[in-house]
Amino acid sequence: MKARKILIIEDEEDILALIHYNLTREGYQPTGAMTGEEGLAAARNQRPDLILLDLMLPGIDGIEVCRRLRAAPETADVPIIMLTAKGEEADIIRGLEVGADDYMTKPFGSHVLLARIKSVLRRAGRSVEGEQEKPLEFTGLMIHPGRNEVLVDGAATELTFSEFKLLYFLARRPGWVFTRSQIVDAVHGQDYPVTDRSVDVLVVGLRKKLGKRGRVIETVRGIGYRFSDS
Ligand code: CA
């Protein structure tokens, strides 16, 4: 298989060098960029399979880089993992909302990073479109989008329309973190007012109805929610 190209946009030289070293050792083909401008140019020219994007960059910051990557047709679909520092929750939320796929909080070990890269690349290869009406199956949980039906350990479970939409939205992309505002958009549409509380209340109700399978809806502190089937 052809080596996957990974672009690392990171202004801290030590971190960049370390990630570069670890990715090379794993058989990836990494390249580095130390500013947002450089990173955008590299993304355009090299067409990487995945981008690791530091949020705190001199000049154009990571959020803006992410927004521009998503806006350009040639980089609109490249998976992006943001690299963030502790306490940057507000930026993580903004990043996810302008289209980043995932994030990692520094410092992180190379094993964790490599696992995350693998999982994001795997997810990226799987099309969500065209799977519209296919039932989703997980341990003890079956979701039939065509029939708006959920089976918990084989038993049909009554969900409200909003609860069903929430569950299906998260379950289509296991492992992805969604912010509350992304969840509200998916469940109620773009113009619905977002209140953290309304999403949290919805999640509490859904978890309750799913019983012991309710654990699949994980709270990501300070950020939002994700579906986890592991
Ligand atoms: Ca930085």
Side-chain angles (χ1 to χ4, degrees):
M1 205 173 95
K2 224 172 117 254
R4 305 275 219 145
K5 290 187 279 184
I6 299 185
L7 171 62
I8 312 155
I9 308 176
E10 165 68 77
D11 63 315
E12 278 158 86
E13 229 173 321
D14 295 354
I15 298 181
L16 177 57
L18 184 65
I19 297 176
H20 195 286
Y21 170 79
N22 283 314
L23 292 182
T24 307
R25 211 180 44 178
E26 282 298 305
Y28 292 104
Q29 202 186 96
T31 47
M34 295 186 66
T35 65
E37 286 87 344
E38 237 180 83
L40 285 167
R44 253 194 321 272
N45 298 331
Q46 298 167 6
R47 303 295 178 90
D49 296 291
L50 184 142
I51 296 173
L52 298 175
L53 173 63
D54 181 29
L55 282 194
M56 296 281 274
L57 292 168
I60 309 178
D61 72 5
I63 300 288
E64 182 57 22
V65 171
C66 186
R67 207 187 55 71
R68 293 193 196 179
L69 288 170
R70 284 294 173 254
E74 62 267 34
T75 53
D77 298 324
V78 186
I80 300 171
I81 302 178
M82 299 180 285
L83 308 179
T84 70
K86 266 212 168 65
E88 289 181 348
E89 276 81 9
D91 287 331
I92 295 170
I93 290 174
R94 281 173 62 215
L96 291 170
E97 283 168 1
V98 295
D101 298 294
D102 209 339
Y103 70 93
M104 295 197 63
T105 305
K106 294 189 247 186
F108 44 76
S110 66
H111 279 82
V112 181
L113 176 67
L114 291 166
R116 198 66 70 85
I117 287 174
K118 253 192 203 149
S119 125
V120 169
L121 284 172
R122 202 169 46 229
R123 281 170 359 206
R126 200 168 48 194
S127 148
V128 169
E129 266 52 62
E131 290 180 4
Q132 286 295 333
E133 302 289 292
K134 259 173 78 187
L136 305 177
E137 217 181 326
F138 305 95
T139 313
L141 196 62
M142 177 89 119
I143 307 166
H144 282 283
R147 293 187 241 156
N148 278 2
E149 186 184 72
V150 174
L151 300 178
V152 180
D153 293 314
T157 301
E158 200 71 39
L159 299 186
T160 66
F161 188 56
S162 295
E163 286 166 349
F164 184 85
K165 274 175 101 172
L166 167 64
L167 177 63
Y168 182 56
F169 174 67
L170 297 176
R172 279 171 84 194
R173 293 181 156 178
W176 292 60
V177 181
F178 293 98
T179 67
R180 290 181 172 83
S181 135
Q182 288 175 313
I183 291 171
V184 169
D185 285 353
V187 173
H188 297 294
Q190 302 272 345
D191 298 321
Y192 198 86
V194 182
T195 65
D196 289 2
R197 215 184 118 62
S198 69
V199 176
D200 296 342
V201 167
L202 193 60
V203 168
V204 169
L206 174 60
R207 278 191 185 132
K208 211 181 222 167
K209 289 189 184 171
L210 297 180
K212 68 172 196 259
R213 303 297 173 192
R215 274 176 302 192
V216 292
I217 314 291
E218 282 184 4
T219 303
V220 184
R221 267 190 68 196
I223 310 292
Y225 293 97
R226 94 175 130 219
F227 186 94
S228 165
D229 62 335
S230 53

